[in-house]
Amino acid sequence: MKDFTRCVVNPPVPTEGFDSLSVPVHRASTIAFATADDYARRSERGHAGYSYGLYGTPTTRTLEAKLTALENGAWTFLLPSGQAANSFAMLPFLQAGDRVLIADTAYPPVRDFADRDLIRFGVEVAYYDPVSVTDLERRIDGRTRIVWCESPGSTTMEVQDLPAVAAVAHRHGALVGCDNSWATPLNFKPLDHGADLVTEALTKYVSGHSDLLMGSLTVRDEALIMPIRGALGRYGIGVSPDDASLVLRGMETLGVRMRQASDGAMALVGRLAGHPLVERVLYPPLASSPGHAVWKRDFLGASGVFSVVFTPAATPHVQPALDVLRTFAIGASWGGTRSLVAPMPVRRSRTVRPWSGDDLILRISVGLEDPSDLQNDIAALLDDVTARTAKAPTA
């Protein structure tokens, strides 16, 4: 073998006895086959076999397997973001003339995807009240192929009765999909409660460090695997094994991070809920939060994300007051080590369950900082809102 050839042909190196606790990063586009016959028959390897890097490497398969086990599912697909997972939970199962019903409190990009792209493909899009099974029953029909859930709802935190929703949907022959990014599979398992497909924004809690984008889509039934795999292949959707490795690393601390975030959130919720300029706090563990009884029945715990509704007098002063924060960062997403706040408008993203309050909700994601620093930051925020409100002219 000539030197030029030695530069590109790798010698076989035994791996027996090398049992690392970390998952190796396998990068590959081309997968080599031992014989021409193996290559010709590569499609016979099925969804679990290796044929091309787009369809997975041992690194991505390890992450898929861990998620499948946590979700109690049949198979998991990795996608470039949580929203990509949401989109491909629907696309393979819809065609022109079909109908999809989406919870009115779903993540706004889901609405945008449905209202722009699904409609353009000839799919009828409708929305339903997420906390009214009666409303769902009234709207569903024989053309409905998917009922989409997000529980708790985006920003306003309504918890859905997923078993009841699934019973209605399945009676009409529809699949049920659920975005589970708030709870993660540690705190809620939608497939155990009637969902057929569950998505996670791994960008958030599962990866846990605000440094990558990824989503997952897990199915309950093996019959759903090939339609999704085929669609992902046609659209050329895959993920980097390097990013998958980072998610695997972050996942190892998911349990302790979730517990810390939940405990920190409960401490701040108590401080905020008693303030005279706070109208209410939206957080499923609170008895006053919509769907609390369902959360208590079906969920195993809570995350560190909640929302704060201020009084009408205070609301205009919340956004400028955020500049006093020193420990909290201002930014989108959640689930990382840093605590975040984000002022969220909601009225424009509601059509069935209108939002009647002021059109600004402060979403808070509690991270891993010392609780006293977070308490001090919230105290400074409330003091600043109070001062601005007191100075404002009365009508």
Side-chain angles (χ1 to χ4, degrees):
M1 188 180 289
K2 303 298 184 182
D3 285 352
F4 276 25
T5 305
R6 292 184 189 279
C7 286
V8 296
V9 175
N10 296 318
V13 175
T15 58
E16 183 180 352
F18 184 79
D19 192 12
S20 172
L21 288 176
S22 62
V23 180
V25 179
H26 293 270
R27 302 183 187 91
S29 54
T30 297
I31 306 296
F33 295 81
T35 68
D37 186 61
D38 286 343
Y39 179 75
R41 296 160 60 103
R42 64 191 183 280
S43 63
E44 297 177 14
R45 295 184 173 189
H47 66 271
Y50 297 110
S51 60
Y52 191 65
L54 181 69
Y55 300 108
T57 73
T59 308
T60 58
R61 289 289 168 80
T62 302
L63 178 54
E64 290 167 353
K66 291 185 77 167
L67 289 164
T68 300
L70 283 173
E71 303 278 16
N72 292 334
W75 191 263
T76 295
F77 297 92
L78 302 177
L79 297 96
S81 69
Q83 175 56 17
N86 294 336
S87 298
F88 278 88
M90 301 187 207
L91 275 174
F93 307 105
L94 294 170
Q95 60 185 358
D98 288 344
R99 196 160 181 263
V100 61
L101 278 169
I102 298 173
D104 199 40
T105 51
Y107 182 46
V110 169
R111 295 182 73 104
D112 200 36
F113 162 71
D115 291 343
R116 292 177 182 269
D117 295 309
L118 291 185
I119 286 178
R120 181 166 53 86
F121 297 152
V123 175
E124 181 183 337
V125 175
Y127 296 89
Y128 69 96
D129 186 335
V131 296
S132 173
V133 178
T134 301
D135 186 62
L136 173 64
E137 186 79 73
R138 182 173 64 84
R139 296 174 186 273
I140 199 169
D141 61 20
R143 292 187 301 116
T144 304
R145 295 291 174 262
I146 293 176
V147 174
W148 187 255
C149 305
E150 181 175 337
S151 185
S154 183
T155 305
T156 47
M157 299 284 159
E158 295 89 346
V159 177
Q160 295 188 251
D161 189 340
L162 188 56
V165 169
V168 172
H170 292 157
R171 192 164 65 246
H172 288 81
L175 294 171
V176 176
C178 183
D179 184 334
N180 192 48
S181 299
W182 181 87
T184 81
L186 291 188
N187 287 327
F188 187 50
K189 300 183 186 294
L191 300 183
D192 287 351
H193 294 273
D196 302 288
L197 311 110
V198 58
T199 61
E200 308 280 354
L202 305 180
T203 306
K204 298 179 169 66
Y205 276 118
V206 179
S207 66
H209 292 79
S210 306
D211 57 359
L212 61 88
L213 295 166
M214 195 176 295
S216 65
L217 166 56
T218 304
V219 299
R220 184 174 62 173
D221 191 330
E222 289 189 358
L224 303 177
I225 294 174
M226 292 310 293
I228 297 171
R229 187 182 189 274
L232 293 175
R234 290 190 297 275
Y235 281 82
I237 301 296
V239 302
S240 158
D242 296 86
D243 284 348
S245 176
L246 290 175
V247 177
L248 283 164
R249 175 185 289 186
M251 196 175 190
E252 293 183 6
T253 60
L254 176 60
V256 292
R257 288 187 288 103
M258 288 291 286
R259 187 179 300 118
Q260 174 82 357
S262 178
D263 290 347
M266 284 302 300
L268 292 182
V269 162
R271 177 70 175 269
L272 285 156
H275 196 275
L277 292 182
V278 172
E279 192 171 274
R280 54 189 166 132
V281 176
L282 303 172
Y283 189 46
L286 297 180
S288 58
S289 197
H292 166 75
V294 175
W295 174 83
K296 190 173 181 180
R297 182 193 72 192
D298 292 346
F299 283 63
L300 303 171
S303 75
V305 179
F306 63 92
S307 296
V308 183
V309 181
F310 287 83
T311 63
T315 297
H317 310 294
V318 173
Q319 187 159 312
L322 298 180
D323 291 344
V324 306
L325 297 172
R326 293 294 174 264
T327 303
F328 281 90
I330 303 170
S333 196
W334 70 71
T337 59
R338 285 292 303 274
S339 293
L340 298 173
V341 296
M344 307 289 292
V346 295
R347 191 175 296 154
R348 66 191 179 200
S349 298
R350 301 287 187 270
T351 52
V352 176
R353 185 179 172 83
W355 180 254
S356 57
D358 286 298
D359 197 23
L360 183 142
I361 296 176
L362 187 65
R363 189 180 68 197
I364 296 178
S365 170
V366 176
L368 306 184
E369 303 91 344
D370 189 282
S372 63
D373 288 327
L374 298 177
Q375 291 278 359
N376 291 339
D377 238 17
I378 290 297
L381 173 66
L382 292 172
D383 287 347
D384 197 79
V385 172
T386 300
R388 290 174 184 272
T389 305
K391 291 178 183 178
T394 56

